[in-house]
Amino acid sequence: MPAKKNFEKYAKLLNPIDDLMFCKMAEHKEFCEEILRVILEDEGLTVIEAIPQWQGKNLTGRSVVLDAKCVTGDGCQINIEVQKADDDNHLKRARYNAAVLTTNISETGKRFEFIPDVCIVFISKFDIFDGGLPLYHIDKVVRETGQVIEDGLTEIFVNTVNNDGSKPARLMKLFTDNDAYSSDEFPITSELKSRLKSSEGGSRTMNEILEKLISDEKRESELRGEERGEKRGRKEGKIEGANEEKLRIAKDMKASGLAFDFIARFTGLTEDAVATLQN
């Protein structure tokens, strides 16, 4: 099958739960606003800025690339993450994202009381708590008294596997099901998803993203060669992020039924490595 056909097949199987499609949709602050209003249960919430693939710098350790960073009208900074694979400690991932985000948005010399509130919205294709619910709020509680502490950090974990009929669960159906749309209830999410999956312009956009990933991967390989032995610390976060993204894409492509040799050429992995990946 020609490479172009493989691209088209893969692109049409993408949904908002996939990093590639989500980050393209997150370029539209209206999309972020629509899903955050549902998840945070705040119909008056406004998003004044949305940045997909926002890079948070940590000069002394691991930097991070957030799927989307949003700023709301009241100044809250929100990280929206989408995750398909239950392959790491995602509670610590959320904690780290919040820490790096807080560090990057805090101004030198300002009192701690003026540090902006941070919210982590973690959307996954698995139930991280195995509680049978589509949505979980994490509270910080004093063990001895039961007092709930408000320190400006909010963590909400949403999953696509538990459908209790609630509005968040109905929204999550659009994130995973190929043919799920709800123009009346979720008009922006439905329209953007349909445009990217079905229209000629949308297919072309997704193909361009996939082709750019190939180009970026080649550039990262060159960087690894050039930077080996020098300036390693400053490049580690970027290269590590590229490797994680490459593995996620390879798993998705394998689950989509694409040929191992094509996946290997696309990602730079060996065919043996592709064969051993868990979907």
Side-chain angles (χ1 to χ4, degrees), residues 114-226:
F114 298 116
I115 290 177
D117 289 348
V118 166
C119 175
I120 304 296
V121 174
F122 196 94
I123 301 173
S124 64
K125 205 175 180 180
F126 51 89
D127 183 350
I128 193 170
F129 300 110
D130 294 322
L133 300 174
L135 188 147
Y136 303 91
H137 297 81
I138 308 300
D139 291 327
K140 184 178 289 187
V141 179
V142 178
R143 183 183 304 174
E144 289 76 13
T145 66
Q147 179 185 3
V148 177
I149 300 301
E150 301 290 347
D151 60 1
L153 173 62
T154 300
E155 293 178 283
I156 301 176
F157 290 80
V158 193
N159 67 78
T160 66
V161 296
N162 297 318
N163 188 348
D164 63 356
S166 63
K167 193 170 184 178
R170 296 196 298 273
L171 174 62
M172 288 300 100
K173 187 175 178 64
L174 272 65
F175 267 63
T176 54
D177 292 8
N178 273 330
D179 300 319
Y181 298 93
S182 180
S183 297
D184 292 334
E185 193 168 27
F186 312 115
I188 298 169
T189 302
S190 298
E191 195 276 329
L192 288 173
K193 176 182 173 182
S194 176
R195 185 194 306 173
L196 291 172
K197 288 176 70 73
S198 304
S199 72
E200 181 178 344
S203 296
R204 184 165 57 249
T205 296
M206 297 309 295
N207 285 343
E208 289 171 356
I209 293 172
L210 291 168
E211 289 167 0
K212 182 178 182 298
L213 278 170
I214 293 177
S215 175
D216 287 349
E217 175 55 34
K218 289 179 179 177
R219 188 165 63 251
E220 290 300 334
S221 295
E222 292 169 358
L223 271 176
R224 282 192 290 271
E226 292 172 3

Side-chain angles (χ1 to χ4, degrees), residues 72-83:
T72 61
D74 61 1
C76 182
Q77 304 264 345
I78 301 180
N79 165 217
I80 311 174
E81 289 291 304
V82 293
Q83 181 68 37

Side-chain angles (χ1 to χ4, degrees), residues 11 13-36 47 49-53 67-70 80 82 123 171-178 180-182 186-198 202 205-206 209:
L13 290 172
L14 293 174
N15 284 295
I17 193 65
D18 296 288
D19 286 341
L20 292 178
M21 179 172 283
F22 177 82
C23 290
K24 191 63 184 175
M25 295 173 73
E27 292 177 2
H28 302 265
K29 64 181 182 180
E30 298 82 4
F31 163 69
C32 296
E33 186 173 273
E34 182 172 84
I35 65 174
L36 288 175
V47 172
E49 182 182 53
I51 305 173
Q53 295 288 283
D67 288 338
K69 182 179 87 73
C70 302
I80 311 174
V82 293
I123 301 173
L171 174 62
M172 288 300 100
K173 187 175 178 64
L174 272 65
F175 267 63
T176 54
D177 292 8
N178 273 330
Y181 298 93
S182 180
F186 312 115
I188 298 169
T189 302
S190 298
E191 195 276 329
L192 288 173
K193 176 182 173 182
S194 176
R195 185 194 306 173
L196 291 172
K197 288 176 70 73
S198 304
T205 296
M206 297 309 295
I209 293 172

